[in-house]
Amino acid sequence: MKSFVHVTQPQRVEFGWGSLERLPELVDALGLKRVLVLSTQEQRGLGERVQSLLGARAVGLFSEAVMHVPVEVVDRALVLANKVQADACVAVGGGSTLGLGKGMALYSSLRLVAVPTTYAGSEMTPLYGLTQGGEKQTGRDWRVLPLSVLYDPELSQTLPHAMTMASALNAMAHAAEALYGENASPVHQLMAQEGLRAMGQALTVLEHDLEDSQGRSDALYGAWLCGAVLGQVQMGLHHKLCHSLGGWFDLPHAELHALLLPYSLAYNSPMIEPALRRMQQALGCDDVPAYFYALRRRLGLPESLAQLGMRELNAPVLAEKLMAAPYPNPRALQADGLIALLEDAFAGRKPTQTKMVLSC
């Protein structure tokens, strides 16, 4: 076995149906006294429910979280947090709300508790992303890792079909890329493979019955594992593509991950055979990029960058921008390959760079 380093950070995770009711007890155990609740406008009702549940511990609700975490929104939330003298935030929702909470933790002494309602996985990571002037800057800082995460599958049961499927594929993208991350340990690989298996199994149920309790529980369990490896393993081309294109063109985050996953896997496939074998075992398939391409179509998700909202494509310029900031990736970034990837994704064509199918 090759040498490796495996580092973990302290974090409390509670998982179970109805666990939201234990939030006041959790807040007290953490020694938090004045909590600002965070949500999106769409989930303001859930934010108000959490605020009510916390009683006197809650000192306000900020419901302006939006996609890609604009810096100006973080600034407004911090103004309110200072006004009410908050010592912590409880972020309830998906990646947008968790991203807001992380931005606040990054620029203040506020501590963070996460109550996820989607499968984004951000709650398990020290990763953050902030958008300013149309550019999304990402980083890693352990100060933004939530002190505690409360997983209640009941909160995801009303997640609409399109959001459920996109969020699930977003989580699977974390695990897929973690399987070939340059600093992935054997433990990370086990977690990533199990996360893929659990999420794949959940989707076979949820695509037919969104209210299936076992399917929702399996999906949230898979999201936890996929998010955990996202936070501990160096990501590569796939996440670079999603963060860059999402920031440049204001494209929806989860749907973009779901759309690009077959193409990024196809691009890297010549260099990631061991990882592809693990994905095959987890998903029960032969051709992994083709599996994700077909799954995305079967689940009714957007099939092209054009359909997702990108009006035009200048692939050579985008490829040059992607290559301007080097980062680890199994296959070296090459202009021709990136142009082909972007053109395929823009048109919604099947990935053209897929390696010969591996036998299981």
Side-chain angles (χ1 to χ4, degrees), residues 120-122 125 127 140 174 178 225-233 235 239:
S122 175
T125 82
L127 307 175
R140 177 187 294 264
H174 305 332
L225 294 172
C226 294
V229 294
L230 168 67
Q232 298 176 33
V233 177
M235 297 289 111
H239 282 74

Side-chain angles (χ1 to χ4, degrees), residues 16 26 77 82 87 123 138 183 268 301 305:
L26 172 62
N82 289 331
D87 61 4
E123 66 279 355
T138 60
N183 62 335
N268 280 323
L301 295 173
L305 287 172

Side-chain angles (χ1 to χ4, degrees), residues 20-29 53-54 57:
L20 181 64
E21 297 299 320
R22 297 198 295 275
L23 182 60
E25 178 185 338
L26 172 62
V27 166
D28 289 342
L53 189 64
L54 289 173
R57 304 170 187 83

Side-chain angles (χ1 to χ4, degrees), residues 233-245:
V233 177
Q234 175 66 54
M235 297 289 111
L237 173 63
H238 176 79
H239 282 74
K240 175 68 174 181
L241 279 170
C242 291
H243 286 297
S244 297
L245 295 181

Side-chain angles (χ1 to χ4, degrees), residues 76-154:
R76 289 202 300 272
L78 285 173
V79 168
L80 176 60
N82 289 331
K83 180 179 179 181
V84 299
Q85 298 181 318
D87 61 4
C89 296
V90 170
V92 55
S96 297
T97 308
L98 266 295
L100 171 61
K102 287 182 171 187
M104 296 173 71
L106 184 67
Y107 292 126
S108 73
S109 60
L110 289 168
R111 291 175 288 176
L112 181 61
V113 174
V115 183
T117 61
T118 71
Y119 310 129
S122 175
E123 66 279 355
M124 294 303 300
T125 82
L127 307 175
Y128 65 88
L130 299 168
T131 300
Q132 188 170 26
E135 291 287 337
K136 187 169 185 177
Q137 300 296 322
T138 60
R140 177 187 294 264
D141 193 311
W142 287 107
R143 290 178 297 171
V144 309
L145 181 74
L147 292 174
S148 186
V149 182
L150 193 152
Y151 286 108
D152 186 343
E154 183 180 351

Side-chain angles (χ1 to χ4, degrees), residues 96-347:
S96 297
T97 308
L98 266 295
L100 171 61
K102 287 182 171 187
M104 296 173 71
L106 184 67
Y107 292 126
S108 73
S109 60
L110 289 168
R111 291 175 288 176
L112 181 61
V113 174
V115 183
T117 61
T118 71
Y119 310 129
S122 175
E123 66 279 355
M124 294 303 300
T125 82
L127 307 175
Y128 65 88
L130 299 168
T131 300
Q132 188 170 26
E135 291 287 337
K136 187 169 185 177
Q137 300 296 322
T138 60
R140 177 187 294 264
D141 193 311
W142 287 107
R143 290 178 297 171
V144 309
L145 181 74
L147 292 174
S148 186
V149 182
L150 193 152
Y151 286 108
D152 186 343
E154 183 180 351
L155 299 180
S156 67
Q157 201 163 22
T158 57
L159 202 62
H161 179 274
M163 191 175 296
T164 294
M165 302 309 161
S167 185
L169 279 173
N170 180 15
M172 295 174 87
H174 305 332
E177 195 148 57
L179 280 171
Y180 54 82
E182 67 167 8
N183 62 335
S185 76
V187 176
H188 294 137
Q189 292 173 333
L190 286 171
M191 294 170 68
Q193 186 170 344
E194 171 64 4
L196 282 173
R197 184 208 62 77
M199 192 64 82
Q201 178 176 294
L203 283 178
T204 62
V205 175
L206 294 178
E207 67 174 306
H208 303 294
D209 183 4
L210 283 175
E211 297 184 0
D212 185 272
S213 59
Q214 189 59 53
R216 286 296 186 184
S217 186
D218 286 346
L220 203 57
Y221 163 69
W224 166 46
L225 294 172
C226 294
V229 294
L230 168 67
Q232 298 176 33
V233 177
Q234 175 66 54
M235 297 289 111
L237 173 63
H238 176 79
H239 282 74
K240 175 68 174 181
L241 279 170
C242 291
H243 286 297
S244 297
L245 295 181
W248 294 336
F249 300 100
D250 195 29
L251 302 177
H253 182 80
E255 289 83 354
L256 187 57
H257 272 278
L259 175 65
L260 291 176
L261 183 56
Y263 302 105
S264 58
L265 286 173
Y267 181 92
N268 280 323
S269 62
M271 307 300 294
I272 59 170
E273 185 168 323
L276 288 173
R277 291 192 185 280
R278 283 183 174 270
M279 293 182 221
Q280 289 173 335
Q281 293 167 8
L283 302 169
C285 68
D286 291 329
D287 186 328
V288 178
Y291 168 88
F292 280 112
Y293 180 82
L295 178 63
R296 186 195 68 205
R297 299 191 71 183
R298 193 177 80 229
L299 298 178
L301 295 173
E303 297 184 22
S304 69
L305 287 172
Q307 189 177 347
L308 204 58
M310 186 184 291
R311 296 185 178 181
E312 57 183 19
L313 174 70
N314 190 331
V317 170
L318 293 181
E320 184 176 346
K321 291 180 70 174
L322 289 166
M323 295 171 63
Y327 50 89
N329 191 65
R331 178 183 169 188
L333 300 189
Q334 301 166 335
D336 289 348
L338 290 175
I339 289 170
L341 183 160
L342 290 166
E343 289 178 343
D344 285 346
F346 185 77

